Amino acid sequence: MIRGILVFNNHGKPRLIKFYEHYKEDVQQQIVRETFQLVSKRDENVCNFLEGGSLIGGSDYKLIYRHYATLYFVFCVDSSESELGILDLIQVFVETLDKCFENVCELDMVQLAE
């Protein structure tokens, strides 16, 4: 099950946040910071999934992400989800955004969130 979707830029600034569990706003901000730290320090040639951070469920959850240009698309899922299935979902999500905005960029994500 998908627990959350995070989209943030190369500097960790959130562009789209959607949690499917209730978290207080300060906890959400900590989750975004922790997720950015985990994902951004990874090398480009490693796999695109890792254990969830301590705030979002630890080893019971997985972070599955893709990095496109200046944006990270991160899905937090429980251990029953297929990593490759979620990577395909991220690809379809980005392709859909690309069709809607004609070459989606970070500014489009900011306007979408508003």
Side-chain angles (χ1 to χ4, degrees):
M1 179 180 292
I2 296 173
R3 302 296 182 176
I5 301 171
L6 308 171
V7 179
F8 44 80
N9 68 11
N10 288 339
H11 304 290
K13 187 164 176 97
R15 296 305 185 195
L16 176 69
I17 300 173
K18 178 64 178 169
F19 288 102
Y20 297 101
E21 292 182 3
H22 177 71
Y23 294 102
K24 294 181 181 177
E25 190 170 329
D26 60 327
V27 174
Q28 288 181 16
Q29 291 172 357
Q30 290 174 346
I31 289 170
V32 170
R33 281 193 297 273
E34 181 182 25
T35 303
F36 174 72
Q37 291 296 322
L38 289 170
V39 170
S40 66
K41 70 180 181 182
R42 292 176 60 89
D43 205 14
E44 290 286 325
N45 59 355
V46 297
C47 69
N48 291 1
F49 36 90
L50 60 135
E51 279 189 4
S54 60
L55 292 172
I56 199 139
S59 61
D60 293 338
Y61 294 94
K62 297 179 272 190
L63 298 174
I64 302 171
Y65 70 96
R66 293 289 301 260
H67 185 213
Y68 294 96
T70 62
L71 293 172
Y72 287 93
F73 293 80
V74 182
F75 279 55
C76 176
V77 299
D78 61 22
S79 58
S80 67
E81 287 292 338
S82 164
E83 291 94 348
L84 296 177
I86 297 297
L87 283 175
D88 283 343
L89 179 61
I90 294 172
Q91 180 69 31
V92 169
F93 181 58
V94 171
E95 287 176 4
T96 303
L97 289 172
D98 209 36
K99 286 181 182 174
C100 290
F101 292 106
E102 298 178 18
N103 293 327
V104 69
C105 66
E106 186 176 343
L107 183 58
D108 294 327
M109 293 302 296
V110 171
Q111 292 172 350
L112 176 69
E114 295 173 353

